[in-house]
């Protein structure tokens, strides 16, 4: 294992800090040299996960093999969903526009599908991904907790300090769509494919 002790946690936390610095730069300084911080952060988080998950796949545990396989398949599904929600549906676009605020402002705000349920569905996806990795790959429950909490804290920071500044219509979206816990109205909107008003 490339890490010992708390190093994967430190690596993962540094990844989240890197993403926060990327967001802070986009809102305040708009320094081109700091645009790679998002990629660095995502890479550090990925490294922290895979350095603990890959060795854990071959380690025995007391669960039946079928439970581990089912949890692993579900975890893989949540991983794909996390990539989809973070980089495809809600990802950064139009890199040819140099001005970061203009780049984000011109992007259409996604308010349908999972983003009609709540403003930060990736927090839930990350939580279930981490939870499923505990039986599937012997992920330490502390790692799962810390990575999930870091994802929640990042979403809270972006919801208050970043998205209202950079994304056109985000404040109106906040008025109609819950932060994290879906409501009856947001569930109905999600399944009917309607946009938040």
């Amino acid at each position: 294992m490339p890490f010992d002790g708390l190093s994967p946690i430190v690596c993962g936390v540094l990844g989240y800090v890197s993403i926060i610095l990327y967001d802070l730069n986009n809102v305040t300084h708009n320094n081109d040299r700091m645009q790679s911080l998002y990629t660095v952060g995502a890479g550090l988080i990925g490294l922290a996960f895979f350095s603990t998950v890959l060795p854990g796949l071959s380690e025995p545990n007391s669960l039946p093999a079928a439970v581990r396989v089912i949890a692993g398949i579900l975890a893989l599904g949540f991983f794909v969903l996390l990539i989809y929600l973070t980089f495809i549906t809600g990802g950064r676009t139009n890199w040819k526009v140099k001005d970061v605020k203009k780049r984000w402002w011109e992007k259409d705000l996604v308010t349908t599908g999972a983003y009609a349920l709540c403003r930060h569905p990736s927090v839930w996806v990350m939580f279930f991904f981490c939870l499923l990795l505990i039986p599937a790959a012997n992920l330490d429950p502390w790692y799962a907790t810390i990575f999930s909490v870091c994802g929640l804290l990042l979403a809270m920071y972006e919801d208050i300090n970043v998205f209202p500044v950079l994304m056109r219509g985000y404040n109106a979206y906040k008025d109609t769509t819950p932060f994290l816990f879906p409501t009856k109205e947001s569930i109905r909107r999600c399944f009917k494919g309607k946009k938040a008003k």
Side-chain angles (χ1 to χ4, degrees):
M1 190 184 300
F3 297 115
D4 291 327
L6 294 178
S7 295
I9 291 176
V10 171
C11 184
V13 169
L14 286 175
Y16 282 104
V17 169
S18 180
I19 292 172
I20 288 172
L21 291 174
Y22 162 84
D23 285 335
L24 183 63
N25 175 62
N26 285 341
V27 173
T28 58
H29 303 300
N30 196 13
N31 184 331
D32 282 343
R33 289 177 291 191
M34 295 182 74
Q35 290 302 308
S36 62
L37 285 173
Y38 188 86
T39 305
V40 169
L44 286 170
I45 294 166
L47 180 64
F49 264 105
F50 290 112
S51 69
T52 56
V53 168
L54 292 179
L57 289 172
S58 61
E59 294 173 3
N61 71 21
S62 62
L63 294 172
V67 171
R68 290 188 74 181
V69 168
I70 291 169
I73 291 169
L74 290 172
L76 184 60
F78 276 102
F79 177 72
V80 170
L81 185 57
L82 184 65
I83 297 299
Y84 175 75
L85 290 173
T86 306
F87 295 108
I88 298 171
T89 303
R92 285 84 173 141
T93 57
N94 200 4
W95 290 105
K96 292 179 183 175
V97 176
K98 285 290 184 191
D99 183 287
V100 176
K101 289 183 182 177
K102 188 174 181 186
R103 179 187 316 143
W104 281 72
W105 201 257
E106 290 177 354
K107 180 178 165 43
D108 288 332
L109 182 65
V110 178
T111 62
T112 57
Y115 288 96
L117 281 175
C118 64
R119 295 191 305 271
H120 299 278
S122 59
V123 172
W124 286 114
V125 174
M126 179 66 132
F127 170 74
F128 287 115
F129 174 61
C130 289
L131 190 66
L132 287 163
L133 285 177
I134 294 171
N138 294 317
L139 182 67
D140 187 320
W142 281 109
Y143 291 7
T145 302
I146 289 171
F147 291 142
S148 295
V149 168
C150 283
L152 174 62
L153 292 174
L154 175 64
M156 291 169 67
Y157 172 75
E158 289 179 333
D159 196 70
I160 294 167
N161 298 305
V162 180
F163 296 156
V165 175
L166 295 180
M167 299 178 99
R168 181 183 67 242
Y170 195 78
N171 284 324
Y173 174 56
K174 284 175 78 169
D175 291 340
T176 60
T177 307
F179 173 73
L180 201 57
F181 295 99
T183 62
K184 186 190 287 187
E185 174 62 25
S186 71
I187 293 168
R188 186 183 60 74
R189 219 175 29 244
C190 172
F191 287 107
K192 287 193 173 183
K194 292 184 177 179
K195 289 186 174 187
K197 298 192 193 277

